[in-house]
Amino acid sequence: MSSTAKTIPTASSAQAGAPPEDDRVVEALPTAELLTTRLANLADGDLRPDALRVGILALMRQTLDQGRAQTRRRLEGGGRGEVCLREATALTDAIVVSLADFALHRVFPTAGPTRGEQFAVVATGGYGRKEMAPFSDVDLLFLLPYKRTPRIEQVVEYVLYLLWDLGLKVGHAVRSVDECVRQALGDITIRTSLLEARFLYGDDKLFTEFRKRFAKEVVAHTGPAFIEAKLAERDSRHLKFCDSRYVLEPNVKEGKGGLRDLQTLFWIAKYVYQVDKVKDLVANGVLLAEEAQRFAKAQNFLWTCRCHLHYLTGRGEDRLTFDVQGEMARRLGYTDHAGTSDVERFMKHYFLMAKDVGDLTRILCATLEQESQRPPRFAFLRRLKPSELEGFVIDNGRLSIRDERHFRDKPVDMVRLFRVAQWHNLDIHPKALRALARSISALGPKVRNDPEANRLFLEILGSRKDPEVTLRRMNEAGVLGRFLPDFGRVVAQMQYDMYHMFTVDEHTLFAMGILHDIDKGNLKDEVPLACEVIHTLSSKRALSVALLLHDVAKGRGGDHSILGAKVAEKLCPRLGMTEEETETVAWLVRQHLTMSIVAFKRDLDDEKTIRDFIDIVKSPERLKLLLVLTVADIRAVGPGRWNNWKATLLRQLYWRAEEMMSGGVVGSDGREARIINAQGALRAQLTDWSPADVDHHLALGYPNYWLAFDPPTLAQHARLIHEAEAKQAPLTIETRYDPGRSVTEVTIYTADHAGLFSRLAGAMALAGGDIVDARITTMTNGMALDVFSLQGAGTSGARFDSGDKRARLKSSVEKALAGDIKLAPELAKRASPLPSRTRVFRVPPRVLVDNKASAGYTVIEVNGRDRPGLLYDLTRALTALNLQIASAKISTYGNAAVDVFYVKDIFGLKVAHEAKLAQIRKELLAVLDEPDPAAEQPKAKPPARRRSTAAAAE
């Protein structure tokens, strides 16, 4: 059989079975016929082989560049992602087909090809289903009747090298039909790729044979196994992306709620129902017509995002990172509106689309399980249920309803449905979810104010069966936002900073799950104190409600803690909570950041810090409530945001506040007694010293020193100082890793002088360490005993305990104090550990000076963008202002640095003069001042017609 006559697709045959719009797309781009003619003209030019190859590449590169530019213009002019994909596919088809035909008939011609020399070129994977983004891979299968022949190998090699030289990323396989069937049975990835095989060129009968055998020998007998494998593959993929569709830098292709989830749905549907289009699932009764429309809308929105992403980044990038989100929003026509920025509106719509993908996933999986009469996943954990249950019915192990009007007639059951499912460990039937979606408008003020509905909701929150699962179901179904409109305002609301990783609602739901884990004791190794105190609470219901509402007022243009407390004051009585509970909830929401602020920004050895904190907390019950809420809140921010250092600080604050509340010694008399006790405990640890040596050492410390450290640390310092004096060492450095706090503690004993802290901070930054805490002590002999707590630079809670890191640290400190290195120039050379994409975030510089937070020190809090050497620059400025730094608390939240210094003036007094305070603010703001990268890039005006994309998304 000749492979010439019917193998070069025309503008219509290349797109057989495609929508009519595809034909118009192909007509606007070069066709395979046109390129084949041009290649033939080149070959007829009597060029040498090498010159001919150069000419072919020039022609194809020009075709590719012009076609891509044309496609890009249309997309950026307001076009849809669907059209962009079809055009990219058509352009690639034309190039691949024309090159294959040229290689077969012009480069390696034969008068009478044998059956073994017949072959077909087949598109597979995303290319096969005509979903090529601008920089997608080109997946090709060279399909053979049986074994390879030398001529076919030459043709394949010739085509592939030309495609590679054009810069295309080509994945290829050369297989016989038998090999395709055998490998598809043994490898789920190959099977999935072949599922979407599309004929391009060559022997169409051979391709037909392959399709028939693939359907009969592979698909017909492996349906259940394929479904299980694809769902397991999906679950594994989700875990790589935090198992959430609401991460703030989502992956449009691979992330939860992204294109791959839609593709997985369609693969499964195609495998089970043998359909080629989503709309065919409606005819099969799998999806409703409106669900198919949601599928198409979500798919086209995600396609559009992905195509723009590829053009914006100039590569096959699928992460919607912070640095491209703003430009994406503008390209898609989003604008600032009602206090919400364009990028926030765009991302909210993205997350709502991802939510739709989740809804469709749940519906399709449930339908497949029901039709195959397989029990629900994890059904082995459940007992058989009766056919009727609390006004609902059990349908194939799922909670369902008898008729479509159920929720219209009994709107309170929109809440009851989830409570019953929670109590009996049941999934909810898609029939019930669909009816609920159609009746959701009935969930209005009457239901919200219904005592029974509110009772059921509080039972959900207080259940011993993880409330997160049920709340998440309610949120996905749209019930939670309707029942609590204030919560509905933060659904899919992004938190546009580098610290948070999830949307507000997702963060809150994660926090509810963590609270449940604390209550069950599942986190006793990570947060033992919280797991202990939660069982002594008498206000656990108030705690659950407060945690649900703690961020409910974000995005309202004010202090969300204060605004959220007002929401709680109105909502709690509606829920049926007592006046006392309402007051507790409102207080917790108002103060939900207080404990972390005090623990991470204040000196916990300063008695006034603890007194001020107790003045806010007032009771042991509220102290315990605030501890548990704070732990759940921080752990829910995202992976890596919680570490042992933060846990240690919160425990210290809790214990010291508890001690003072329970009548621990306070005041000057108590302070003196504590000093005497500390010195006595030290004597007990130095039994190998002579009394004279002990007395000599005790004379070296000022009173504050003895209260700043525990007895084992005081003993460590004593031995270090004793050894340094014996050796008359000008500089002593000792490091030890503290696993309980996840920090490396660096103790430095050297002669005190102005600017010592600054030099040490710079040296530690050069060595790759981040200072998270510092204790600065000057002994009575004029020596400095400075203790720093370090973690690795650039990540949250990274360890800084390896031998080479410690050696580098000692070397850096020695050189810095000896003047052998110039710190400022060296630090300026260091690249920021933060990704460049974070430069889009503006961190407003701020300097706060507080003379009330401490009895003996002026407290200076500095907020600004983090950068290598920032602490060095800040402490150098404080030294130039003749200020003595006694201690420092150093925190980083994403790209924002929050550094707090306890200082005195040159006379050892608080800084009280207004002129001096103004000078401090001015000099520190100058250190923080930096160009705003966002301001340097003016917003581009959105092209015409772009508005329609945003409107469609809304």
Side-chain angles (χ1 to χ4, degrees):
M1 161 186 171
S2 171
S3 58
T4 307
K6 295 188 291 182
T7 54
I8 302 176
T10 63
S12 57
S13 65
Q15 303 294 324
E21 183 178 19
D22 285 358
D23 295 336
R24 296 195 297 272
V25 167
V26 175
E27 290 171 0
L29 294 167
T31 63
E33 285 183 320
L34 176 61
L35 291 180
T36 299
T37 300
R38 290 178 178 177
L39 288 172
N41 292 338
L42 276 176
D44 293 340
D46 199 23
L47 297 173
R48 293 196 314 259
D50 56 343
L52 176 61
R53 193 175 192 283
V54 170
I56 292 171
L57 283 174
L59 170 64
M60 291 302 175
R61 187 168 288 116
Q62 180 186 37
T63 301
L64 187 63
D65 291 345
Q66 289 178 348
R68 282 177 168 175
Q70 179 179 330
T71 299
R72 181 171 185 169
R73 281 195 302 271
R74 269 197 280 265
L75 179 74
E76 294 180 349
R80 293 182 293 123
E82 178 183 10
V83 175
C84 182
L85 297 181
R86 303 304 184 207
E87 289 185 344
T89 300
L91 179 63
T92 307
D93 283 356
I95 291 173
V96 171
V97 168
S98 60
L99 287 177
D101 184 78
F102 183 80
L104 190 66
H105 295 102
R106 288 286 185 155
V107 183
F108 305 102
T110 183
T114 65
R115 172 61 179 161
E117 289 181 320
Q118 303 296 331
F119 75 104
V121 183
V122 179
T124 60
Y127 179 35
R129 63 178 177 269
K130 303 179 185 177
E131 293 178 10
M132 282 198 68
F135 293 96
S136 289
D137 294 354
V138 179
D139 294 323
L140 293 173
L141 167 65
F142 294 89
L143 185 64
L144 312 178
Y146 36 94
K147 66 181 181 180
R148 305 182 189 187
T149 66
R151 177 170 175 258
I152 294 304
E153 287 188 346
Q154 288 178 314
V155 171
V156 170
E157 183 177 287
Y158 186 85
V159 172
L160 288 175
Y161 274 103
L162 283 172
L163 293 174
W164 285 329
D165 287 346
L166 285 172
L168 296 173
K169 293 182 290 183
V170 182
H172 74 285
V174 183
R175 301 189 188 107
S176 67
V177 174
D178 284 340
E179 288 172 327
C180 286
V181 171
R182 184 174 64 254
Q183 293 187 30
L185 286 169
D187 189 308
I188 198 70
T189 302
I190 294 175
R191 193 187 314 172
T192 305
S193 179
L194 293 178
L195 183 65
E196 300 183 296
R198 178 171 60 89
F199 176 74
L200 290 178
Y201 174 83
D203 188 345
D204 54 355
K205 291 183 178 179
L206 179 63
F207 178 73
T208 300
E209 177 192 347
F210 155 72
R211 289 299 297 269
K212 288 180 179 178
R213 288 190 59 187
F214 182 79
K216 181 179 180 181
E217 299 176 33
V218 179
V219 175
H221 307 293
T222 58
F226 181 81
I227 294 172
E228 290 296 329
K230 297 315 291 184
L231 292 178
E233 182 183 276
R234 179 201 62 181
D235 293 344
S236 176
R237 173 169 46 81
H238 287 171
L239 289 175
K240 296 180 182 179
F241 297 93
C242 302
D243 200 23
S244 171
R245 63 180 63 94
Y246 304 113
V247 291
L248 298 189
E249 289 187 297
N251 188 301
V252 175
K253 179 182 178 184
E254 302 288 351
K256 192 172 185 177
L259 281 167
R260 187 67 81 200
D261 278 2
L262 286 176
Q263 290 161 5
T264 299
L265 290 184
F266 191 61
W267 287 332
I268 292 173
K270 187 171 185 176
Y271 214 89
V272 175
Y273 298 103
Q274 289 80 52
V275 297
D276 290 319
K277 300 179 185 302
V278 174
K279 65 182 181 181
D280 295 335
L281 294 175
V282 178
N284 281 273
V286 180
L287 296 178
L288 300 176
E290 57 262 38
E291 290 166 348
Q293 290 174 355
R294 287 168 64 196
F295 188 109
K297 183 179 179 181
Q299 187 174 53
N300 191 59
F301 177 81
L302 293 171
W303 277 343
T304 303
C305 289
R306 189 176 185 222
C307 291
H308 277 295
L309 258 179
H310 281 206
Y311 285 133
L312 271 172
T313 59
R315 61 183 186 275
E317 176 61 73
D318 295 320
R319 294 174 305 152
L320 198 52
T321 52
F322 291 126
D323 56 328
V324 299
Q325 289 175 6
E327 180 59 24
M328 283 281 290
R330 291 187 283 276
R331 289 187 177 212
L332 295 176
Y334 293 89
T335 57
D336 298 348
H337 179 70
T340 305
S341 69
D342 54 359
V343 67
E344 289 172 328
R345 294 182 65 222
F346 161 57
M347 291 305 298
K348 180 159 188 170
H349 290 150
Y350 177 91
F351 294 128
L352 291 174
M353 289 293 178
K355 175 181 174 295
D356 279 349
V357 174
D359 294 343
L360 292 166
T361 300
R362 184 174 59 253
I363 290 168
L364 180 60
C365 289
T367 303
L368 288 171
E369 287 176 343
Q370 180 179 358
E371 292 200 355
S372 61
Q373 292 301 304
R374 291 183 294 116
R377 300 175 91 190
F378 314 119
F380 60 89
L381 297 177
R382 302 168 186 163
R383 300 190 307 271
L384 290 175
K385 302 294 187 299
S387 59
E388 292 193 16
L389 186 65
E390 298 187 38
F392 299 101
V393 297
I394 307 297
D395 185 349
N396 196 32
R398 288 186 171 86
L399 195 62
S400 190
I401 54 176
R402 289 196 179 279
D403 62 79
E404 291 290 327
R405 288 198 54 82
H406 183 103
F407 296 117
R408 290 280 180 189
D409 297 336
K410 302 176 180 179
V412 172
D413 276 9
M414 284 189 265
V415 180
R416 191 189 311 278
L417 174 75
F418 295 95
R419 174 55 180 152
V420 174
Q422 179 191 44
W423 182 253
H424 295 281
N425 295 326
L426 288 169
D427 280 341
I428 299 175
H429 198 282
K431 176 183 176 181
L433 291 173
R434 284 166 167 161
L436 194 153
R438 290 176 166 179
S439 306
I440 197 71
S441 60
L443 206 169
K446 185 176 180 180
V447 177
R448 294 184 198 117
N449 292 309
D450 186 285
E452 176 67 4
N454 286 285
R455 181 189 66 79
L456 290 166
F457 183 73
L458 284 182
E459 285 185 359
I460 290 171
L461 287 186
S463 175
R464 296 288 293 171
K465 298 178 179 179
D466 194 355
E468 179 193 0
V469 174
T470 303
L471 291 172
R472 196 173 290 282
R473 286 176 173 176
M474 294 178 73
N475 197 38
E476 295 285 350
V479 171
L480 187 57
R482 293 282 299 192
F483 189 68
L484 302 178
D486 289 292
F487 189 88
R489 293 178 63 171
V490 297
V491 170
Q493 180 177 309
M494 72 180 300
Q495 305 181 75
Y496 202 57
D497 58 48
M498 275 297 296
Y499 181 61
H500 294 90
M501 293 188 65
F502 304 108
T503 57
V504 177
D505 59 322
E506 185 76 348
H507 159 74
T508 301
L509 297 179
F510 273 131
M512 297 300 294
I514 291 168
L515 178 63
H516 174 73
D517 286 337
I518 292 172
D519 191 30
K520 298 284 285 185
N522 297 337
L523 299 174
K524 60 183 177 182
D525 292 333
E526 294 91 339
V527 288
L529 182 59
C531 289
E532 176 187 334
V533 304
I534 195 170
H535 297 298
T536 67
L537 293 174
S538 58
S539 313
K540 289 174 72 172
R541 187 167 76 166
L543 175 61
S544 296
V545 175
L547 188 60
L548 182 68
L549 300 180
H550 77 283
D551 278 347
V552 77
K554 278 196 169 180
R556 299 194 184 188
D559 186 329
H560 77 281
S561 301
I562 296 174
L563 296 175
K566 293 179 179 178
V567 171
E569 288 168 353
K570 293 181 180 179
L571 178 62
C572 290
R574 191 204 96 183
L575 292 175
M577 303 184 78
T578 66
E579 184 177 345
E580 179 186 355
E581 286 179 311
T582 299
E583 182 186 1
T584 300
V585 172
W587 181 87
L588 281 170
V589 174
R590 187 181 301 108
Q591 303 296 338
H592 77 271
L593 296 174
T594 298
M595 194 165 193
S596 59
I597 288 172
V598 175
F600 305 154
K601 295 184 181 181
R602 293 293 179 260
D603 185 351
L604 301 184
D605 290 314
D606 188 319
E607 189 174 290
K608 191 171 188 305
T609 296
I610 309 303
R611 283 187 177 280
D612 290 346
F613 178 63
I614 290 175
D615 286 343
I616 296 171
V617 175
K618 292 185 170 36
S619 75
E621 174 76 3
R622 285 189 171 183
L623 175 63
K624 289 183 281 189
L625 287 167
L626 196 56
L627 171 72
V628 178
L629 186 146
T630 302
V631 169
D633 186 16
I634 296 175
R635 287 185 68 89
V637 170
R641 299 300 189 259
W642 175 267
N643 55 44
N644 281 349
W645 173 244
K646 291 178 180 178
T648 299
L649 294 176
L650 289 171
R651 282 197 300 267
Q652 287 178 356
L653 176 56
Y654 176 87
W655 283 331
R656 288 173 189 178
E658 183 186 49
E659 179 188 14
M660 192 172 285
M661 281 181 177
S662 61
V665 290
V666 295
S668 57
D669 293 339
R671 184 171 182 271
E672 190 64 35
R674 289 163 63 202
I675 292 173
I676 293 172
N677 289 337
Q679 292 177 336
L682 176 60
R683 282 183 185 274
Q685 299 216 17
L686 300 176
T687 54
D688 55 327
W689 284 26
S690 68
D693 286 343
V694 174
D695 290 340
H696 169 73
H697 179 74
L698 294 179
L700 293 178
Y702 289 106
N704 285 344
Y705 169 70
W706 305 110
L707 301 180
F709 302 95
D710 58 25
T713 305
L714 291 173
Q716 174 208 347
H717 293 171
R719 298 185 187 282
L720 181 148
I721 293 172
H722 186 71
E723 184 179 350
E725 289 182 338
K727 294 180 178 179
Q728 296 185 338
L731 171 65
T732 301
I733 304 173
E734 185 174 281
T735 63
R736 64 167 183 167
Y737 181 69
D738 184 345
R741 297 186 298 150
S742 290
V743 297
T744 294
E745 191 175 271
V746 182
T747 305
I748 297 175
Y749 185 67
T750 190
D752 196 13
H753 61 81
L756 175 62
F757 188 168
S758 179
R759 284 179 173 272
L760 293 175
M764 291 175 187
L766 278 181
D770 273 350
I771 299 172
V772 296
D773 188 70
R775 297 279 175 181
I776 312 301
T777 305
T778 301
M779 312 304 283
T780 58
N781 61 356
M783 297 291 283
L785 180 67
D786 296 347
V787 182
F788 298 88
S789 296
L790 266 65
Q791 292 178 336
T795 55
S796 179
R799 293 177 65 151
F800 190 84
D801 62 334
S802 64
D804 61 325
K805 289 180 179 178
R806 296 188 191 189
R808 188 165 63 247
L809 172 68
K810 289 184 177 181
S811 174
S812 182
V813 169
E814 289 169 354
K815 290 179 180 179
L817 295 185
D820 293 339
I821 52 176
K822 295 182 179 179
L823 291 169
E826 289 298 321
L827 288 168
K829 296 176 186 177
R830 293 178 63 84
S832 171
L834 293 171
S836 60
R837 67 182 190 275
T838 66
R839 302 292 297 179
V840 298
F841 293 110
R842 169 76 173 157
V843 182
R846 184 174 65 166
V847 176
L848 304 173
V849 183
D850 190 345
N851 268 319
K852 297 179 181 179
S854 173
Y857 298 93
T858 294
V859 179
I860 301 174
E861 180 179 327
V862 179
N863 297 195
R865 174 181 289 279
D866 194 22
R867 66 171 189 267
L870 175 62
L871 184 58
Y872 167 72
D873 292 338
L874 291 170
T875 51
R876 187 170 61 165
L878 291 173
T879 300
L881 289 164
N882 294 317
L883 297 176
Q884 303 176 52
I885 303 172
S887 64
K889 290 272 190 175
I890 313 302
S891 303
T892 304
Y893 300 90
N895 62 334
V898 181
D899 299 345
V900 179
F901 304 95
Y902 281 67
V903 304
K904 290 183 177 181
D905 65 16
I906 197 171
F907 303 108
L909 302 173
K910 280 188 175 183
V911 183
H913 199 281
E914 282 299 326
K916 185 67 174 178
L917 295 174
Q919 185 185 12
I920 291 172
R921 294 188 186 96
K922 178 182 176 183
E923 295 298 329
L924 293 180
L925 283 172
V927 172
L928 296 172
D929 191 29
E930 61 173 334
D932 181 0
E936 295 175 3
Q937 302 174 4
K939 289 187 176 183
K941 292 183 178 180
R945 296 178 57 211
R946 200 71 48 77
R947 179 77 187 111
S948 61
T949 306
E954 295 186 76

